[in-house]
Amino acid sequence: MSLKSTQARYGTIAMAFHWLTAIAILGLMVTGQLMDGLQDAARQITILQWHVPLGLAVLALTLARIGWWIFADSYPAHLSTGWQAVAAKAGHAALYALLLVMTLSGVAMMALSGAGETVFFGSATPLPDFGDYLPRIPHGLGSKLMLALVVLHIAAAIWHQRFKRDGAMTRILPARE
């Protein structure tokens, strides 16, 4: 299998970016939900010790992925035409933009609140109420939008694979040889 994408399928590097990001996003969604409304500060700190590095990993993966597409690789041929092609491009652009907004708002929340000292360096300072910080608004709204976009992305992939039978999912999965 090629490191770079072909007209028919994604290359190994693009697949690795996709699946590593997907796994990290799943971890972020789970840890984010676990923290939502949690009153136990010790548990919240433990969860943040996973959530924050995962978020930073998604930021690094997203930036590397964007760089990969700009400087080293090209997308396979589109499977759809017309409004479906426009929707696919818009959906992917929205996912990339939202990944950046979510990670940057998370970084801003940690920086502005000073919570990093408590979470990663054992400071006795209690965790702040993140709702007191402006980046919490796009982070919270973004999490709901991210869930919706991920569900749509998965639904579109299944629709392509099962109903259009155009091999959409096999393009992003490692080839069986």
Side-chain angles (χ1 to χ4, degrees):
M1 183 180 311
S2 173
L3 290 177
K4 290 188 174 187
S5 302
T6 65
Q7 284 295 305
R9 63 183 293 111
Y10 290 90
T12 304
I13 302 293
M15 286 183 207
F17 281 138
H18 179 271
W19 292 110
L20 288 171
T21 303
I23 291 165
I25 288 170
L26 178 62
L28 287 165
M29 288 178 169
V30 169
T31 56
Q33 286 301 306
L34 288 172
M35 277 188 298
D36 194 28
L38 186 63
Q39 299 301 317
D40 181 353
R43 282 198 62 208
Q44 192 175 17
I45 289 169
T46 300
I47 295 168
L48 279 168
Q49 289 171 334
W50 285 93
H51 190 80
V52 173
L54 272 176
L56 293 173
V58 167
L59 177 61
L61 283 165
T62 302
L63 293 174
R65 189 177 190 178
I66 291 168
W68 177 250
W69 289 123
I70 291 172
F71 298 112
D73 203 1
S74 59
Y75 287 95
H78 291 288
L79 295 175
S80 298
T81 58
W83 71 268
Q84 290 178 348
V86 171
K89 285 180 185 178
H92 284 106
L95 279 168
Y96 281 110
L98 195 53
L99 287 171
L100 294 173
V101 167
M102 289 295 294
T103 55
L104 294 174
S105 64
V107 167
M109 230 181 338
M110 291 300 286
L112 291 172
S113 71
E117 296 261 336
T118 303
V119 173
F120 296 107
F121 302 110
S123 169
T125 307
L127 281 176
D129 179 358
F130 291 111
D132 292 342
Y133 297 90
L134 187 60
R136 178 66 181 107
I137 295 169
H139 203 73
L141 293 174
S143 68
K144 290 165 184 50
L145 186 55
M146 178 64 72
L147 179 59
L149 285 174
V150 167
V151 167
L152 285 171
H153 184 73
I154 292 168
I158 292 170
W159 182 76
H160 270 275
Q161 191 68 23
R162 298 281 301 159
F163 299 105
K164 283 192 82 177
R165 299 192 185 281
D166 58 10
M169 290 178 70
T170 56
R171 291 164 34 120
I172 196 70
L173 293 170
R176 293 186 206 170
E177 297 181 32

